[in-house]
């Protein structure tokens, strides 16, 4: 029987007693889904899995997203986050891969720029740097629960526009291609989700550009005030990776971001599978 041990006073748990190289039983799948709903981030150490085993693990939570065109692994259920080129050498810092990795350093929910945003993501550490490259998670249920009433009143029932072209061009003006902009026009997302029995969660992140019905400046000010509040250290669990850690998180309950490492000198290879959302966030609005 798997076992969960809390990693932070508010959320995140380490899961032991499960070997994903042997596959996921129907019982394990039920346990894992309930554990993810409850803890929002699950860390499974010592899972030296291959791509097929990672896909099988992720499918225990639901159908997977296909990786978007333009990202490494496009069309498959796997997305590779790596600073290595096809020959295994570290790529030059001007490379799009490095810029895409930079984009991941902003707090975000995966796929919030898609009409149906991702439910959850699972990330497997295949190669990790000796120093840096941790991943941080911020608990959006705890942030909502602690949010002062005047801010809460500005969030309830509100919709944010999430715009991939806008958020990527803030990282580097040329990072986003015209084809990508066409592929991902701005989408409407609820700012507050009631997805599961464990409490409503704020929903924002780097792609949240503006607030419907507010002028540009007021919308930006609100989004920034909420993001500053929600990403305070008390709401954050920082995961320092060990090779073969597998971490799965609920995108509708947490924000996450990558942290820097020496990408010119050290290798970092992470493989992600993304569990698709079941419905638009507006159907899950609190
Ligand atoms: C991701 C992501 C952060 C990291 O895989 O979706 O944002 O630390 N990763 O690699
Ligand atoms: Mn991400």
């Amino acid at each position: 029987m798997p076992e969960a041990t809390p990693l932070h006073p508010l959320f995140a748990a380490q899961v032991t007693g499960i070997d994903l190289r042997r596959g996921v039983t129907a019982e394990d799948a039920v346990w894992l889904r309930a554990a993810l709903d409850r803890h929002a981030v699950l860390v499974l150490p010592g899972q030296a899995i291959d791509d097929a085993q990672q896909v099988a693990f992720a499918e225990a939570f639901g159908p997977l997203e296909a990786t978007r065109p333009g990202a490494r692994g496009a069309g498959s259920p796997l997305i590779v986050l790596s600073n290595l080129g096809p020959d295994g050498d570290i790529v030059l810092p001007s490379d799009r891969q490095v810029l895409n990795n930079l984009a991941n350093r902003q707090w975000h929910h995966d796929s919030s720029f898609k009409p149906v945003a991702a439910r959850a993501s699972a990330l497997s550490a295949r190669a990790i740097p000796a120093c840096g490259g941790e991943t941080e998670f911020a608990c959006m249920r705890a942030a909502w629960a602690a949010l002062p009433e005047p801010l809460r009143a500005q969030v309830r029932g509100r919709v944010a526009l999430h715009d991939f072209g806008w958020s990527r061009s803030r990282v580097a003006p040329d990072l986003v291609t015209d084809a990508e902009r066409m592929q991902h026009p701005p989408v409407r997302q609820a700012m507050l989700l009631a997805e599961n029995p464990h409490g409503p969660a704020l929903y924002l992140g780097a792609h949240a550009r503006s607030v419907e019905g507010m002028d540009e400046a007021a919308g930006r000010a609100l989004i920034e005030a909420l993001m500053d509040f929600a990403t305070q250290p008390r709401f954050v669990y920082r995961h320092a990776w060990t090779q073969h850690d597998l971490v799965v998180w609920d995108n509708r309950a947490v924000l996450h971001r990558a942290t820097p490492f020496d990408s010119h000198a050290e290798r970092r290879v992470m493989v992600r599978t993304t569990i698709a959302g079941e419905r638009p966030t507006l159907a899950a609005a609190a």
Side-chain angles (χ1 to χ4, degrees):
M1 202 41 193
E3 207 182 313
T5 311
L7 290 165
H8 183 281
L10 296 170
F11 72 127
Q14 172 161 294
V15 173
T16 51
I18 188 165
D19 180 356
L20 298 176
R21 284 167 306 189
R22 294 212 206 112
V24 185
T25 65
E27 261 187 338
D28 287 343
V30 170
W31 188 93
L32 285 164
R33 285 198 293 266
L36 185 63
D37 278 349
R38 164 127 191 244
H39 300 288
V41 178
L42 303 178
V43 175
L44 294 87
Q47 305 289 348
I49 49 174
D50 61 23
D51 290 351
Q53 288 162 336
Q54 181 166 346
V55 167
F57 167 78
E59 282 177 338
F61 297 90
L64 306 188
E65 276 189 6
T67 297
R68 65 176 179 81
R72 194 125 155 237
S76 86
L78 299 156
I79 177 162
V80 183
L81 307 177
S82 134
N83 63 330
L84 307 184
D87 51 8
D89 289 339
I90 292 175
V91 287
L92 292 172
S94 60
D95 193 285
R96 272 176 71 79
Q97 264 179 302
V98 175
L99 291 174
N100 272 319
N101 292 348
L102 274 181
N104 274 345
R105 290 188 194 162
Q106 300 186 296
W107 288 108
H108 64 281
H109 307 281
D110 289 330
S111 299
S112 76
F113 53 84
K114 294 183 183 173
V116 177
R119 168 80 208 193
S121 303
L123 192 61
S124 162
R126 305 295 174 88
I128 51 159
C131 193
E134 295 89 358
T135 305
E136 293 187 323
F137 299 91
C139 184
M140 294 296 97
R141 289 184 201 134
W144 172 254
L147 194 69
E149 183 51 36
L151 277 172
R152 284 177 158 226
Q154 294 189 68
V155 170
R156 284 195 196 92
R158 276 242 134 93
V159 170
L161 292 173
H162 288 233
D163 185 342
F164 179 84
W166 172 82
S167 58
R168 278 299 198 270
S169 57
R170 291 178 100 198
V171 175
D174 301 331
L175 182 51
V176 62
T177 62
D178 285 344
E180 284 176 321
R181 273 183 215 276
M182 303 267 283
Q183 178 89 19
H184 303 295
V187 295
R188 303 171 74 232
Q189 304 288 10
M191 290 172 69
L192 180 61
L193 307 181
E195 260 299 291
N196 63 48
H198 301 282
L202 276 174
Y203 193 79
L204 289 161
H207 305 297
R209 174 180 187 167
S210 57
V211 178
E212 207 168 75
M214 290 179 87
D215 72 47
E216 186 87 22
R220 285 306 318 148
L222 177 57
I223 290 168
E224 275 157 30
L226 292 167
M227 288 291 295
D228 284 350
F229 183 88
T231 58
Q232 292 173 80
R234 64 179 160 134
F235 300 127
V236 173
Y237 165 67
R238 184 180 178 97
H239 186 65
W241 294 89
T242 299
Q243 191 187 17
H244 305 317
D245 281 351
L246 177 65
V247 176
V248 54
W249 63 88
D250 182 341
N251 282 300
R252 300 200 174 184
V254 298
L255 283 168
H256 66 281
R257 68 172 176 185
T259 64
F261 69 102
D262 186 353
S263 63
H264 308 231
E266 294 215 76
R267 281 157 215 270
R268 187 173 190 267
V269 180
M270 313 292 278
V271 176
R272 193 179 96 197
T273 38
T274 314
I275 296 104
E278 284 165 24
R279 60 188 87 84
T281 57
L282 287 169

